[in-house]
């Protein structure tokens, strides 16, 4: 029995019996393939391909199924000539691959043709609601001989002939390639979208990092200006101290010496001695005053006695001065650190305690200094009112204590962690790595 395609206009393909015209068939297939290969989206490829298959074979309905990723089932991705209800389709669109009339097509990678599916011994039945299948033709969709799915057509009013089978096989070879291309194209589009999303995400992150950097730079600029101001104020204060304290005392001493000499000159030894004693007293005051100024600049006993002793002394003074309940706990064997490192740690503790005194309304303060093999950890915890760290660390903040602490920690290659919340107290921990070979403190 032959097959004639009366028109090479793809939409009007009509299949008749009796006459075989290979040239017409080839032309029709060519047109179908051209139309098919112009399509990009998988959805339109499937729609157009199945429509052509129904037209080519004069079938009542048909489907295209693709093997699922786990290769255990066929996913019916396109159905035509039968309009299943949504629930029916959702429920039956994935058909497990079992040896039956349909699945043989992909399991055995062969075409299957039957004149009566109802009586075919390979049949296993069909779900309720599915239109009755009588004549059936199924061909595999293959890429390099390996099946990726199948095309099934059914209910041609006459039997499917071997020509239908060949025609559908030839067309299926084209369809498989176009489906694969469409799949690859969709994967490419998805990969591109994914990449674009990642790029957008990275750009956003970069922007945020740049903003954070700009914020940090602004803070540092502010800090620098503030440091210059503080330095200037400190110089002024020292000059004032020298002028009002030491200078005045020295002037007093000189006047007293002058009067002592005058008393000596007139032989008034007793009064001359009084003057000398007064000068001695004044010079003692000068000495105390100079010590105070020097101490403010840099605690002199830090170098001599070491960090732990100096911290203890400072905490003791702080306790007396503030009446706060402070406990100090030293753990591990203390070691000496380079002078600048010890000063930085000392200043950091000063700032932490000053903050507690000025802001925390705390009752108890717990200070722990812990020396381990590799680092020194200083933590200062209070049970005060706590604060909103993010808000305080915002740009344009006029507070420099915490920023300076962070900068100090960084310059020591250390880490500073500030844990606080309004109403929850504050805990500040500095951790500084110990260089190998730091001498042990006595
Ligand atoms: N232990 C604490 N308990 C409660 N609030 C604190 C504590 N430490 C810091 N704060 C809050 O954090 C803010 C910032 O502290 P920071 O030391 O940076 O600045 P400051 O003390 O206000 O001023 P300065 O620049 O003179 O140190 C404080 O104003 C205070 O509100
Ligand atoms: Mg402060």
């Amino acid at each position: 029995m032959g097959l004639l395609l009366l028109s090479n206009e793809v939409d009007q393909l009509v299949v008749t019996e009796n006459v075989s015209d290979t040239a017409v068939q080839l032309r029709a297939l060519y047109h179908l393939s051209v139309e098919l290969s112009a399509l990009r989206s998988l959805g339109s490829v499937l729609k157009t391909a199945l429509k052509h298959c129904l037209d080519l074979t004069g079938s009542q309905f048909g489907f295209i199924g693709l093997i699922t990723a786990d290769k255990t089932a066929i996913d019916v991705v396109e159905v035509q000539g039968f309009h299943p209800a949504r629930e029916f389709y959702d429920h039956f669109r994935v058909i497990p691959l079992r040896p039956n009339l349909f699945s043989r097509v992909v399991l055995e990678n062969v075409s299957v043709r039957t004149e009566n599916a109802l009586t075919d011994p390979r049949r296993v039945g069909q779900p309720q609601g599915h239109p009755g299948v009588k004549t059936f033709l199924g061909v595999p969709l293959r890429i390099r001989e390996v099946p990726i799915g199948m095309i099934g057509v059914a209910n041609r009013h006459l039997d499917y002939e071997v020509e239908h089978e060949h025609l559908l096989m030839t067309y299926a070879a084209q369809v498989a390639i176009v489906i694969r291309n469409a799949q690859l194209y969709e994967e490419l589009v998805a990969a591109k979208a994914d990449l674009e999303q990642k790029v957008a995400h990275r750009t956003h992150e970069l922007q945020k990092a740049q903003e954070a950097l700009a914020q940090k730079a602004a803070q540092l600029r502010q800090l620098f200006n503030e440091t210059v101001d503080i330095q200037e104020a400190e110089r002024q204060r020292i000059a004032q101290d020298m002028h009002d304290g030491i200078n005045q005392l020295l002037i007093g001493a000189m006047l007293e010496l002058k009067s002592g000499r005058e008393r000596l000159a007139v032989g008034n030894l007793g009064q001359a001695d009084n003057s000398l004693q007064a000068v001695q007293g004044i010079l003692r005051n000068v000495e105390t005053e100079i010590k105070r100024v020097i101490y403010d600049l840099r605690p002199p006993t830090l170098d001599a006695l070491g960090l732990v002793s100096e911290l203890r002394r400072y905490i003791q003074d702080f306790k007396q001065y503030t009446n706060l309940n402070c406990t100090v706990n030293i753990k591990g064997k203390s070691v000496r650190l380079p002078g600048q490192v010890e000063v930085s740690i000392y200043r950091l503790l000063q700032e932490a305690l000053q903050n507690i005194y000025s802001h925390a309304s705390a009752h108890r303060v717990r200070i722990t200094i812990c020396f381990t093999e590799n680092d020194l950890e200083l933590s200062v915890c209070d049970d005060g009112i706590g604060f909103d760290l993010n808000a305080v660390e915002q740009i344009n903040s006029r507070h420099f204590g915490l920023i300076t602490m962070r900068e100090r920690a960084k310059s020591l290659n250390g880490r500073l962690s500030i844990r606080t919340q309004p109403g929850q107290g504050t805990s500040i921990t500095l951790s500084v790595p110990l260089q190998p070979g730091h001498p042990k403190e006595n």
Side-chain angles (χ1 to χ4, degrees):
M1 206 178 284
L3 184 78
L4 173 63
L5 297 163
L6 289 179
S7 162
N8 62 3
E9 291 299 323
V10 176
D11 285 348
Q12 299 161 20
L13 278 174
V14 178
V15 185
T16 64
E17 321 286 327
N18 303 328
V19 189
S20 171
D21 185 338
T22 312
V24 175
Q25 286 179 11
L26 283 177
R27 221 172 30 249
L29 276 177
Y30 168 76
H31 281 285
L32 295 178
S33 305
V34 169
E35 187 186 339
L36 204 57
S37 57
L39 300 171
R40 281 263 168 84
S41 91
L42 186 59
S44 47
V45 165
L46 295 168
K47 259 190 188 43
T48 308
L50 187 56
K51 180 179 181 307
H52 291 166
C53 292
L54 296 182
D55 289 346
L56 277 172
T57 53
S59 303
Q60 187 190 350
F61 57 85
F63 70 92
I64 296 180
L66 298 177
I67 299 177
T68 53
D70 61 5
K71 299 194 181 351
T72 60
I74 283 271
D75 181 10
V76 177
V77 286
E78 181 67 16
V79 180
Q80 281 175 28
F82 151 53
H83 304 285
R86 185 84 251 159
E87 306 78 60
F88 180 92
Y89 181 62
D90 288 346
H91 196 245
F92 293 108
R93 66 173 283 175
V94 178
I95 305 168
L97 281 172
R98 298 209 188 94
N100 58 32
L101 188 62
F102 304 113
S103 300
R104 266 194 70 210
V105 176
V106 287
L107 285 176
E108 295 175 25
N109 197 7
V110 292
S111 48
V112 169
R113 191 153 50 90
T114 178
E115 289 162 11
N116 193 346
L118 297 172
T119 55
D120 194 296
R122 297 165 293 183
R123 177 181 188 268
V124 290
Q126 56 187 41
Q128 210 180 5
H130 193 285
V133 177
K134 189 162 183 290
T135 53
F136 172 77
L137 171 60
V139 296
L141 286 165
R142 300 174 179 142
I143 296 286
R144 290 198 203 94
E145 295 306 313
V146 178
I148 61 160
M150 67 179 285
I151 300 174
V153 290
N155 288 8
R156 177 180 152 73
H157 67 286
L158 295 174
D159 293 345
Y160 290 104
E161 302 294 341
V162 72
E163 286 85 353
H164 296 108
E165 190 179 323
H166 290 164
L167 192 61
L168 204 58
M169 287 280 279
T170 312
Y171 188 58
Q174 298 289 322
V175 173
I177 292 168
V178 180
I179 286 179
R180 193 74 200 111
N181 283 347
Q183 282 174 332
L184 289 176
Y185 180 74
E186 292 199 344
E187 277 167 24
L188 204 72
V189 169
K192 185 169 165 262
D194 185 47
L195 204 70
E196 277 171 358
Q197 201 191 354
K198 279 189 182 138
V199 168
H201 181 67
R202 287 308 287 265
T203 311
H204 180 66
E205 277 188 345
L206 220 67
Q207 253 169 8
K208 277 207 314 210
Q210 270 172 344
E211 279 166 21
L213 222 64
Q215 178 173 340
K216 206 80 202 149
Q219 272 184 345
L220 283 177
R221 258 198 314 278
Q222 255 182 350
L223 186 62
F224 175 75
N225 292 339
E226 194 80 1
T227 311
V228 170
D229 287 353
I230 289 171
Q231 225 174 33
E232 221 29 65
E234 192 67 359
R235 281 185 184 154
Q236 245 176 20
R237 190 186 63 75
I238 296 167
Q240 194 82 40
D241 269 5
M242 298 285 226
H243 177 267
D244 297 350
I246 298 168
N247 200 35
Q248 296 307 321
L249 287 170
L250 288 177
I251 290 172
M254 277 193 294
L255 287 176
E256 203 58 59
L257 269 180
K258 182 165 172 271
S259 84
R261 285 182 66 187
E262 284 168 2
R263 285 166 181 165
L264 262 184
V266 294
N268 196 342
L269 292 181
Q271 289 215 340
D273 189 49
N274 287 347
S275 291
L276 284 178
Q277 276 182 26
V279 170
Q280 205 175 14
I282 291 170
L283 288 180
R284 249 185 241 118
N285 287 342
V286 168
E287 185 197 17
T288 314
E289 189 65 9
I290 286 177
K291 272 189 180 158
R292 190 184 61 76
V293 173
I294 290 173
Y295 207 97
D296 279 353
L297 290 176
R298 179 184 168 114
T301 42
L302 183 60
D303 290 334
L305 302 179
L307 182 65
V308 171
S309 310
E310 201 56 33
L311 290 181
R312 275 190 192 282
R313 189 205 55 75
Y314 184 80
I315 294 162
Q316 191 56 36
D317 287 355
F318 179 78
K319 255 166 91 167
Q320 277 178 0
Y321 171 57
T322 61
N323 271 331
L324 275 168
N325 179 349
C326 288
T327 56
V328 191
N329 194 358
I330 316 277
K331 298 179 183 166
K333 183 99 181 95
S334 61
V335 295
R336 288 302 307 259
L337 300 164
Q340 257 328 98
V341 177
E342 293 195 332
V343 172
S344 286
I345 297 172
Y346 178 80
R347 295 289 183 223
L348 196 140
L349 177 89
Q350 269 185 322
E351 177 61 34
L353 290 181
Q354 275 310 317
N355 275 352
I356 293 174
Y357 178 61
S358 312
H359 311 297
S361 309
H363 297 106
R364 294 166 61 93
V365 182
R366 215 162 11 91
I367 300 146
T368 312
I369 305 164
C370 177
F371 289 87
T372 67
E373 192 60 28
N374 301 315
D375 51 20
L376 176 159
E377 202 171 274
L378 166 71
S379 69
V380 184
C381 308
D382 69 64
D383 63 352
I385 56 172
F387 61 103
D388 179 345
L389 184 62
N390 284 335
V392 165
E393 293 197 324
Q394 282 306 308
I395 191 166
N396 295 334
S397 150
R398 300 295 304 166
H399 310 280
F400 292 97
L402 298 180
I403 299 175
T404 310
M405 281 191 205
R406 289 208 188 278
E407 293 306 318
R408 280 193 198 282
K410 248 188 247 168
S411 74
L412 301 176
N413 282 333
R415 273 177 291 120
L416 186 83
S417 114
I418 303 174
R419 270 177 289 139
T420 182
Q421 266 183 42
Q424 305 280 308
T426 301
S427 154
I428 294 186
T429 305
L430 168 75
S431 162
V432 181
L434 298 178
Q435 304 300 322
H438 276 141
K440 297 276 177 215
E441 220 176 273
N442 294 322

